[in-house]
Amino acid sequence: MSYNKRLTALITIDSAIVLLSIYMSHFFLNPYAVAVDTSIIVSSLILLSSHHLFSYKLNFYRRAWRYASLEELAGIILIVSASILLTVVTQLIVFNNIYERALIITWMLHIIFMGGVRFSWRYYTGAKLLKKKTSSGKRTLIIGAGAAGRMIARQLKSSDESELYPVAFIDDDRLLKQLSISGITVEGSMNDLELVIQKNQIEHIIIAIPSLKQKRLNEIITEAKSFCEDVQILPKIEDVVLGKISINLIRDVSIEDLLGREPVQLDVDSISDKIEGRTILVTGAGGSIGSEICRQVSQFNPKEIVLLGHGEFSIYNIEKELIGTYPHISYPTEIVDVQDRERMFEVLTKYKPAIVYHAAAHKHVPLMERNPEAAVKNNIIGTKNSAEAADAAGVETFVMVSTDKAVNPTNVMGATKRLAEMLVQDLDSRSKTKFVAVRFGNVLGSRGSVIPLFKEQIRNGGPVTITHPDMVRYFMTIPEASRLVIQAGSLAWGGEIFVLDMGEPVKIIDLARNLITLSGFTEEEIGITYSGIRPGEKMYEELLGENEVHNKQVFPKIYIGKSADLYIEEIQQLLTDYSNVEKTVLTDTLLNLANNKLLKRKDAIIV
């Protein structure tokens, strides 16, 4: 029904209700009266006009009555009372008399008829929808009968957009057991989970306890997944408090939910004055970290973000996404290889950005073991070119994205990142630009990370391959990593290595098992095999070396590492001669320099 037709129908129905209420009130008081008194006609006209006036002013003709609640009932009482009050004033002025009994009966009948008509519509549409959901909806169990659980239950029952049909609650509050909430019974606690699922033929589970600590949430997810493949969770408690929860915000359980720690939330508001209205440049802008940095920075309304990268398709994709989301921000694109020194100077001089986020790098450990020359070119020379171009262009802050593998490195990738850190720290000592580096661990979901590989192996039926059962790593999400990089730029004084407190490291085998469970399989179905530690890999990672440890936090969850000795002359010599050096010698040289050692071998290029 169109709005105009609906409005006409409501006005007609309400007019009939007002007139019927007045007639019945006078009939109850004087059932044998034949003539219509003038006072009745005047009162009817005033009551009818005022009812429509107040209904229109309070937007009562725009209400969706299929979702009527106590708020609508209170509105009905307000409109009827205001209309009666206006009629009382009119009677007093025109007739110098108030017909109290008639008005009291009219007031009661008016409310009963209005509420009855509107709430009967809610009951009719609700019953119709409930019948449809009962026959075709997915039978859903809600874990948590608190405020969030009750809200979700009501929305699922009243929404025709969701295929979920709530049939039972589970809650550890013993006082709620066997009580009915929104027509749904609390059938037990978590100890009764398997029994409740079997009894009610549950096909879907929603965990509606947003305030749960991560450890307990992990336990509930794991247990729920063992009985039901489809498990979803609600957002954080802030969204419940702010009234943001809706069925559209229920999300699938993700691997981030099983990290074993709370996600790190950084104070992104403190950096707005550093970014708003300014030019920002991001190298490697098409990569997983670089593109997320662009998304995060865009929230602070910079004048423009220069998207610099080597891969044209990835730059095209992030440009298209950002323009669609933030059309008021300019996104110039530059297809440039950071190894191209002349072009890097040209681009930095052209845009003169206030901040450069240097995310371009080769990060895959085994590949860089086999291609140390490529690692040197991209990670060291590329960083050197970018940093020196930033210095020449008068950039305020240069933030280099580094890695925990730069600490006591045993692989080429980590060694090149450590040497790049040294170059950046050295340049900071003689430049007006503030140069800093940011270290973090493995990023979940980034290109080349273990999660996409595990997912692909599970899709192919397994097995999932891991290197060693005792292998552990620090993990963080892409937004966490990107926020840390941006936050470091706002905290920079120059020369620092920023490190995020990433909690406890996670065993790779636990990550693999959790991902198998989240995908709806068992470890027996998919299988896990061990491939052995690859060249350059360590059993565990570190965020700071012994000679870098600085225990003071400069910001919640952020630390600064002390500067170690810088072998700048040796690094410069390495960059001059690396292309003529045997691959094994080059690898040894990189590792020794990164670990603050000088080579003693005769065939070494550094003695």
Side-chain angles (χ1 to χ4, degrees), residues 417-434:
K417 295 298 278 186
R418 176 61 192 133
L419 299 185
E421 288 178 355
M422 291 182 184
L423 287 172
V424 166
Q425 287 180 300
D426 174 68
L427 189 55
D428 177 79
S429 65
R430 46 191 171 82
S431 171
K432 292 182 179 180
T433 300
K434 293 180 287 189

Side-chain angles (χ1 to χ4, degrees), residues 237-250:
I237 190 65
E238 307 90 74
D239 294 330
V240 180
V241 174
L242 295 174
K244 295 180 181 178
I245 281 194
S246 73
I247 55 173
N248 296 324
L249 287 177
I250 302 173

